[in-house]
Each structure stands twice: as C-alpha cells, then as structure tokens.
Amino acid sequence: MLLKKLGVLSALACLFLAAPAFANKPIVIKFSHVVAENTPKGQMANKFKALVEERLAGKVEVKVYPSSQLFGDKKVLQAMLLGDVQMAAPSLSKFKKYTKTLQLFDLPFLFKDMAAVDRFQQSASGQELLNSLSSKGLIGLGYLHNGMKQISASKILKVPADAHGLKFRIMSSDVLAAQFQAVGAAPLKKPFSEVFTLLQTKAIDGQENTWSNIYSKKFFEVQPYITESDHGVLDYMVVTSKQFWMSLPEDIRTVVKTSLDEAIALGNKVANEKAVSDKQKIVDSGRSEVITLTDAERTQWVEAMKPVWKQFEDQIGKELIDAAYNSNK
Ligand code: SIN
C-alpha cells in the first residue's frame, strides 16, 4: 500500500516538474530553402534567425535548412500547408500550382533592371500580389531579391539562333518553357539540386540563373560560356501558412515580421553586391567566358522572346503586365 502511494506521488511529482518545461517550450519556425548559405537568400534566412532569437529568446527558435536539406521547392509549399515547415522563400517562378498571376515575373525582358523590379514590388499592384496565394492558405510576407538572370551554355550564345536545338534546364514555370521554345530550344523543368550534375554529365546544354546562383552552385565550372543577357528576374516571395501565422500571439507575430523585414533588407543588399562580386569571381576564375551582347544582338533576343507576353496575357492580366512594364520609367 505504502509502495503504491509512493508510486502515485512520484508520478505526480514528475508531471509537476514536466509541466512548466512543456508550457515554456519555444515556438519553432523551420525555414527551408534550396540555395547555399553564401547567397542573398541564405544570408537573409540566417539574419532572420539571429534577429528573432535575440529578440524573442526562449520564446521562438528558428531552424534554417539550406541547400534543399529539408525540402526541395517542389514539395515545400505542400509541406507548409501540412505544418511540416513554417517558412520558405521559393523563387517567384515556382508558384504556378498555387496562382497564375505570379507568372508575371517570368515574362522575358519585362524589367530593364533590379531597380524597376523593386519599384514594381513596392507599388500597390506589387504589394497586392503578396495576397495572391491567400485562397490556397498561404501568406506572402515580402519579396526578396536575387537578381537578373543570365544564360549559361556549352556553346557561345550571341543570337537566338545559337540556342536552337539546345536543352536548357528551367524552373517549374510554363512561361520559362515558352521563353526557350520561342528561340527553338528544348526546356526541361528540373529541381535546382539537380542542375550541377545535369550540366556536368552534359545531360543538358545550359541553364538560366543569377550570378549568385551560378557562382555559389559552381555552374560556371561546368559551363564554358555565360551570355550576359539580363533577360529576366529571379526573385523570391517569403511565405508562410495562414494557419501558422494566425496561431502566433500578436506581439510575437509583430516581432517576427519586423525581424523578417530587416533580414530582407540585408538580403537585398547582399543581392546587389553579389550581382557584381560573384560575376567578377567567375570572370577571374577563367573557367567560363562571359559573352557580352551588342545592342543589335540583344534586340534579336527581345524580338524572339517577347511574343511570350501575349501567350500568357489572359492568365496574368494585361493591366498587371502594363503596371509592371511601367515601373521601367
Ligand atoms: C533559388 O534561387 O532559390 C533557386 C533557383 C533555381 O531553381 O534555379
């Protein structure tokens, strides 16, 4: 009898001791992304972790998973809706399953530079697009820059005819597929994590990406030529699930959002710097030759690819395309 009583008492003591630990368990934010840590997105995610954990010490813990360690971009949004990951920042080209409107950002030669991209993203139309995933249970918390895309290949590309018959890896975007089809090339939708091997084994002839991604993922080591085309933008939307976001206590949500905004500002600064410094590192490596286009050659690419706008006008909306285009002025 005495033993039985002692057993009950020790079980109660265990519960009593465990309860406060359970009550104080920090909220965990898993942040999954596919790029290296020395990139705009990698640095933004790490800064976000540092700020949140400093300001909400013991209350919120941020676990960052770079380089597709947790999820690739194909699975991450589904995983977010299931509660297996709380934040991610896929490229704007990877939301097709959730909304057609964001295809806007893939239209070739829509933005003349990153300043125009930024003006549009900060405009009323750009900010409204952060809500375009709402009916699917996702919230856009902000945009993050990477930069303008360049085309790397196994041969010199100066005019669209040079790309004819070549296989290019693209992100999972129908607009990007149409863009390469418009120059007679064969687009292949493949995950970012597979690009290096596909290039190295010559299963594909080329790919399009930013200087930062070409450098950090070493694509320049297996691609002898990079055409400086600046033909499109690769930016991100930082997203979370509505369910997770609304479950956060308001004071915590405010600090998380402020910290994210600050981390994004740092990421954008890194993006601007890397567009210059990573290009220079590639040039200095001597592994890949950077091909500069003359105005006449560039015009040929614009003329070949621009009909893609019309092809996707119904899905994206003419007004939105006009608003984005007007940010070039
Ligand atoms: C990324 O920058 O997040 C990946 C881009 C790509 O898939 O090419």
Side-chain angles (χ1 to χ4, degrees), residues 34-35 41 73 89-91 94 146 169 171 191-192 208-209 213 234 236:
V34 300
V35 290
K41 185 158 56 181
D73 281 330
S91 142
K94 295 180 180 172
N146 186 326
R169 176 271 175 175
M171 294 180 273
F192 188 57
E208 53 162 22
N209 233 303
N213 281 350
L234 196 167
Y236 308 108

Side-chain angles (χ1 to χ4, degrees), residues 279-297:
K279 175 187 164 188
Q280 193 54 47
K281 285 181 196 157
I282 292 170
V283 171
D284 294 345
S285 76
R287 303 285 291 264
S288 195
E289 185 186 337
V290 175
I291 311 295
T292 309
L293 299 176
T294 63
D295 286 349
E297 286 162 348

